[in-house]
Amino acid sequence: MFAPAHIVIGLPLVVGATTSGWAGVAWGALTAALCGGIPLGVLLAGVRSGRFGDKHVKDRAQRPKLIGLIVALVVTVLALMVMLGAPRLMVAGAAAMLSTLAVTGPVTLWWKISFHTAVAAGGVVMLAWILPPVPVYTAGAVLVAALAWSRVVIRDHTLAQTVAGAIAGGAATWLTLAVFFP
């Protein structure tokens, strides 16, 4: 339910609808399709064909190609948004995805940082930027903590890897938004 692709598909739609109405939904749909839908399709096809061992890409050696594809798609979305005049917040949201990948992507080459908690924490920060922050951060902290706990319990990550992911994703998103909206 809180897999990175699901958040990347849902969050731009919510942000777009909340801040820019139907036009925002359209921008959110573009972002969701390119940054979430296509990578999810590639991941699922890769698992079926054996290119990826599982949907969580536990083998870090298999991650760079998927991350490279996602980076290329996010850059494509950013270029389209800038060229076509997307709302600033939608551009900032895509830039936050790229910022999070810039932090977590290199780390995952030598340590299995949690993309689940990185994307979830970034999503919480994004929602807190547009909605009342206290309830969003309160509920978000509970959800990210539960997600981190689940990743540790199923032995996909250590506590340190989930905490590092949450810090990386939350900080990258917050810093990106602060640059866009000083």
Side-chain angles (χ1 to χ4, degrees):
M1 183 170 157
F2 293 107
H6 300 154
I7 294 171
V8 171
I9 290 168
L11 185 64
L13 295 168
V14 171
V15 171
T18 303
T19 62
S20 303
W22 287 110
V25 171
W27 287 112
L30 174 70
T31 305
L34 268 65
C35 298
I38 291 174
L40 180 59
V42 168
L43 174 62
L44 295 176
V47 170
R48 278 194 297 275
S49 71
R51 284 189 312 266
F52 297 120
D54 60 62
K55 66 181 179 178
H56 298 294
V57 193
K58 292 177 189 171
D59 181 353
R60 286 191 328 267
Q62 296 174 341
R63 289 182 171 192
K65 287 182 184 177
L66 183 61
I67 293 168
L69 170 68
I70 295 168
V71 168
L73 290 166
V74 173
V75 168
T76 300
V77 165
L78 276 168
L80 287 170
M81 287 179 158
V82 170
M83 288 187 302
L84 299 174
R88 188 175 178 108
L89 184 63
M90 298 303 292
V91 176
M97 289 182 203
L98 192 57
S99 298
T100 300
L101 284 166
V103 174
T104 56
V107 171
T108 200
L109 298 176
W110 56 271
W111 192 57
K112 196 177 170 200
I113 192 167
S114 173
F115 284 96
H116 282 75
T117 58
V119 172
V124 169
V125 170
M126 187 66 164
L127 288 175
W129 202 269
I130 62 170
L131 299 172
V134 172
V136 171
Y137 280 127
T138 302
V142 171
L143 287 172
V144 172
L147 179 58
W149 172 80
S150 74
R151 304 298 293 157
V152 172
V153 166
I154 64 172
R155 300 181 195 265
D156 273 350
H157 290 287
T158 65
L159 179 60
Q161 291 166 338
T162 61
V163 170
I167 291 169
T173 301
W174 189 89
L175 288 169
T176 302
L177 290 168
V179 167
F180 272 83
F181 303 100

